[in-house]
Amino acid sequence: MANATKKPWSYSTGEWGVNRVRAFERQGKGIFLEFRERNPDGTAGRKARIALGHSDRKAAKAKAEEVAAAFRREEPAQGSEATLQVLFDTYGSEVTPEKGESKRKHDVRCAEMFLRYFGAQTLPRTLTRREWDRFVADRRRGAIAPAGVVQKRRVGERVITYDLKWLLSVFNWATTVGDGRGGFLLDRNPFKGLPLPRTESPQRSVLTHEQYLALRGIAAEVAPEFDLALVLAHETGHRIGAIRQLRWSDIDLDGGTVHWRGELDKIGMEHSTLLTEEADAALRAERLIRPAIGDAWLFPAPGDPDQPASRHLVRDWWERAAKLADLPKGKRLGWHSVRRQWATEMKETPLKDLCYMGGWKSPMTVLTCYQQPDTETQREALAKRKRYRAGAGG
C-alpha cells in the first residue's frame, strides 16, 4: 500500500540570492528544475521552471549543480536588502513544500495577499506599527482578502491572526537564514512584539451528553463510518484530523490501546492511549462489518482505499448530522465541541495525565481553550469544601 504521507523527492544547491537551484520530482511527470533568472544587476529575477524529461535523480542533482555554477554571477553590492518578493519567494521554495496541503495553500494565499497590500518591492525594515494596524483594520472590514475571495462580511479576529502569524513566521525565519554574503536575509523582524488581534470572549461551545446521544441516534443516516468517528472523538478526546487518519495497525484491541502517530498530529505528539469499553466495542463492530488489517485506513476515502477520508468529507458528515439531530445553529458546534466536552468531563483528572490522554502539550491550552465551567462541578466542589479552623494552618 502506498504511503500517503511520503514527501516527494527534492534537492537544492547554491546560495540564496545568488545561484539557488532546486530539483524536484512530480509523480508521473518526471523531474523539474526551478530557479530564479538573473537580472542585469545580478539580483534574483522571475522564477523559472524547466522539465528535465526523465526521473534519474542522480543526473538531476548533477544538472542542478551545473545550472547553479552557470548562474553564479558577481554578488550584489554589500548592504543590498531583500524585498518582500524575495523573502516570500525564498520561503515559498524552501519552507512551504515541507508543510501539509492545507498549510501550503494558506502560504500561497498569504504571500499573494501581503504582496498586493504592502507592495512586492517594499523593504521589510520600512514596515512599522502603522502598517500593521492598517492591515488589521482593512482585513477586518473586508477591504483586503486573498485572491478570488469575495468578502461579504467582517472577518473574524482568528482569521486575521492566522494570516499575521504566517507573516511573522516568514520574518522570523528570514532572520535565521544566511544571505550568502555572511549576513542574514533579514536583520530583524519589523513586526516583532506587536499585538495580534484577539476576541475578548471567543465562543467555545461544548457538546452536551444529550446532543451526543442525538447524534448517535441518527449516525446511520449520515454515513456508515460516521458513528465510529463520533464514538472515537467522544471516547478519546482527540482531534478529528488525527482520528480520520488512523490505520488498523494503530489499533491494539488485545492490549486495549490506540497509537497516535506524531507525523499525523497537529502538534507532532506521538503517544498511545487506552481504549474505553465503548470505543473498543465500536471498533470490534466495525471490523466485523468491514474486515481490514495492517495499514488499511479506518476511514478510507470513498473510491480510493489507499487514501484516508478527507477533512472535507468528515466536515460534511458533521454538518449533515447536526441538521438531522437538530443541533442549535450559530453555536459553533463542530467536531471540536466533542473535544471540549471530553476535556470538561475529565476535569478531575490530574492535568499531566489529562494532557497526555487528550494529546495536548500545554496544560494552559486545556485550561484556557477546552475546559469550561459548569454548575454541577461547582456544586460538588462546594459540597466538599472543608472548613478552615484554628490550628489547622502552619
Side-chain angles (χ1 to χ4, degrees), residues 17 46 61 78 105 113 200 216 228 263 331 349:
R46 67 182 183 86
K61 290 173 68 174
Q78 293 293 324
K105 290 180 178 179
M113 178 175 63
E200 292 302 323
R216 290 211 65 188
L228 177 61
E263 67 267 22
K331 297 295 184 180
T349 307

Side-chain angles (χ1 to χ4, degrees), residues 269-333:
M269 184 174 174
E270 185 105 8
H271 62 299
S272 295
T273 58
L274 298 173
L275 288 170
T276 64
E277 291 184 5
E278 188 170 346
D280 180 87
L283 286 164
R284 291 182 186 276
E286 179 70 13
R287 175 160 279 180
L288 288 175
I289 298 172
R290 282 177 287 277
I293 59 174
D295 281 340
W297 301 102
L298 262 69
F299 305 99
D304 187 1
D306 288 342
Q307 298 295 326
S310 70
R311 60 189 180 90
H312 305 290
L313 177 60
V314 295
R315 182 180 61 191
D316 181 62
W317 288 348
W318 181 275
E319 290 176 351
R320 286 189 284 142
K323 187 174 182 179
L324 289 170
D326 198 27
L327 297 188
K329 297 179 180 179
K331 297 295 184 180
R332 299 182 67 88
L333 285 172

Side-chain angles (χ1 to χ4, degrees), residues 7-8 34 55 94 152 160 231 254 269 273 286 291 297 374:
K7 294 179 180 177
E34 186 176 75
S55 297
E94 281 298 308
K152 297 182 179 180
I160 303 173
V231 170
D254 294 331
M269 184 174 174
T273 58
E286 179 70 13
W297 301 102
D374 67 278

